[in-house]
Amino acid sequence: MYSFLGFPAWIHGAIQIIQLKFFSWNALIFTPISTTTDDSILPNEIITDILLRLPNKSLLKCTCVSKSWHQLISSPHFVNTHLKLNRNYHRVLFPGINGAFKFFSINPLFNKQQQQVTVHMYPPTSSAFVVGSANGLICLCNHAGETYIWNPTIRKSKELLNSKWGTSFYTKYGFGYDDLCDDYKAVFVDYCRSSYHDDDMSNMRTLVNVYSLRTDSWTTLHDQLQGIYLVNLYAKFVHGKLYWVASSGIRDHNVRNIISYDVADEKWGSLELPICGEVNSNFKLGVVGSDLSLLYTCRLGDTTSDVWILKDCRVWTKLFTIEYPQNAGLYIFSPPILTFSMHLRRSNKGDILLSHPGFIMIFDGSTKRLEHTINVEGCNPPEIYAESIVNPLMISGHCTSKDNPQ
């Protein structure tokens, strides 16, 4: 007989977390599991409620308990509900040695303990770089044109066949979630010049290639961004939209405004900058928590940067000013082609994790001064993403609308 005491420690923790007041933990005894049924004395609603509160790693173990548990945990409604209840399991991802990716839990990074929590994992394609992430799914590409949507938590991936992007040297990338259709979309913007030396935007064609994971198909849109050049390589996905900072030409890195792309209705929009930058000022696009953000450095060599966030997707608000050590401003004052991410620690001080290309910086939440730096291999910025059990293979090819609960 399977008793509660016979379950591994992770099931103990799950039951204790939800603290079912009308059951004592000694009384939770499951009936034997046969090859045809695994009914228990617990109602299905209680079992589901327990499973929904488990972290991803423990939940994956539960798929091996029985066939019915596997079907329940794999169902679209369960996956989406679990995702909504467990959005705080964040990790930091960046390329490591020999093509492997490194995964860090966020909290130990604040205490210089990253070596104790490092997980190495090989992506589904070699020489991969991260386009973006949404709901635990990560879009990967390489310079050979191979593209994958990958969930490292469950180690499942979907290759995007018949790729139509990469026809120009100036490709821009984006990846986001369409909550209206429960779909994931990859967006690739190609700038096609008549000749290598022709930088006139009026003579340049744009091709926007959009991949839908649900339909497993591509759509090509022509000349959607006439006269607009997207500066940063990888878009930031925030509240259903992809964002790039924009300039007026390929060789112009002076940020003029912000361009958005709504993943659901596939429409373009624009945002004004929160302030007018001075000569040689620098705007870098990023995300702070779940808000679109700008990191503004006034002049080359400055040792402070202002952090602005777009509150409620409508109003720019200056959050705070961070302070670097002397001469550190020269190191971080790079062109806005790459983005940043910022995580605010839930603690008394509210310490700050800032991920830049090549390094991670930890700031004291009270003084906003740099405490320590973590070097990161490669030139791409680390990706802060939320873990999930979303399976890209279960979504691909299913052209139905958003799944309803059974």
Side-chain angles (χ1 to χ4, degrees), residues 190-404:
D190 285 330
Y191 289 90
C192 305
R193 298 188 292 179
S194 57
S195 67
Y196 179 79
H197 299 287
D198 187 3
D199 292 335
D200 187 352
M201 292 295 295
S202 62
N203 297 330
M204 196 170 301
R205 296 185 304 110
T206 59
L207 294 177
V208 180
N209 296 297
V210 181
Y211 172 82
S212 163
L213 178 61
R214 183 161 290 281
T215 63
D216 193 18
S217 63
W218 291 86
T219 302
T220 300
L221 308 172
H222 296 269
D223 298 325
Q224 294 277 301
L225 297 167
Q226 195 64 36
I228 298 173
Y229 181 68
L230 306 179
V231 177
N232 46 291
L233 281 176
Y234 313 114
K236 282 296 182 180
F237 177 67
V238 181
H239 299 307
K241 293 183 179 181
L242 296 168
Y243 292 92
W244 292 265
V245 290
S247 71
S248 59
I250 283 181
R251 303 193 187 279
D252 179 13
H253 284 173
N254 293 317
V255 175
R256 312 294 184 185
N257 61 349
I258 298 173
I259 298 299
S260 66
Y261 179 81
D262 192 302
V263 177
D265 65 21
E266 301 186 346
K267 292 182 179 180
W268 296 92
S270 64
L271 287 171
E272 297 297 324
L273 301 174
I275 56 175
C276 296
E278 299 182 14
V279 177
N280 292 325
S281 62
N282 181 272
F283 288 96
K284 196 177 293 292
L285 189 69
V287 171
V288 175
S290 60
D291 294 314
L292 185 70
S293 177
L294 282 172
L295 194 64
Y296 172 66
T297 309
C298 185
R299 290 175 295 273
L300 179 64
D302 277 0
T303 57
T304 61
S305 293
D306 296 333
V307 180
W308 291 80
I309 62 171
L310 188 64
K311 205 65 179 175
D312 300 322
C313 300
R314 294 179 299 171
V315 180
W316 284 108
T317 303
K318 182 178 174 181
L319 195 60
F320 47 70
T321 299
I322 55 177
E323 184 175 342
Y324 313 106
Q326 196 67 29
N327 298 325
L330 291 172
Y331 185 42
I332 62 100
F333 199 92
S334 58
I337 189 170
L338 295 175
T339 56
F340 76 93
S341 295
M342 185 175 286
H343 179 81
L344 306 181
R345 188 184 190 185
R346 294 182 179 179
S347 65
N348 292 333
K349 293 194 305 179
D351 291 340
I352 302 163
L353 182 150
L354 172 63
S355 70
H356 262 297
F359 58 98
I360 292 174
M361 307 177 86
I362 306 297
F363 292 85
D364 183 283
S366 300
T367 65
K368 305 300 187 291
R369 292 183 178 179
L370 181 67
E371 288 192 334
H372 66 274
T373 301
I374 303 164
N375 292 326
V376 177
E377 298 171 4
C379 60
N380 290 326
E383 180 77 12
I384 299 176
Y385 77 102
E387 290 187 307
S388 78
I389 58 168
V390 177
N391 188 342
L393 297 174
M394 295 293 290
I395 299 172
S396 178
H398 291 75
C399 304
T400 58
S401 59
K402 201 167 188 176
D403 296 283
N404 295 317

Side-chain angles (χ1 to χ4, degrees), residues 81-94:
T81 305
H82 184 266
L83 180 64
K84 294 176 182 177
L85 295 174
N86 297 270
R87 292 188 180 276
N88 294 322
Y89 292 97
H90 288 87
R91 280 195 168 190
V92 181
L93 171 155
F94 51 82

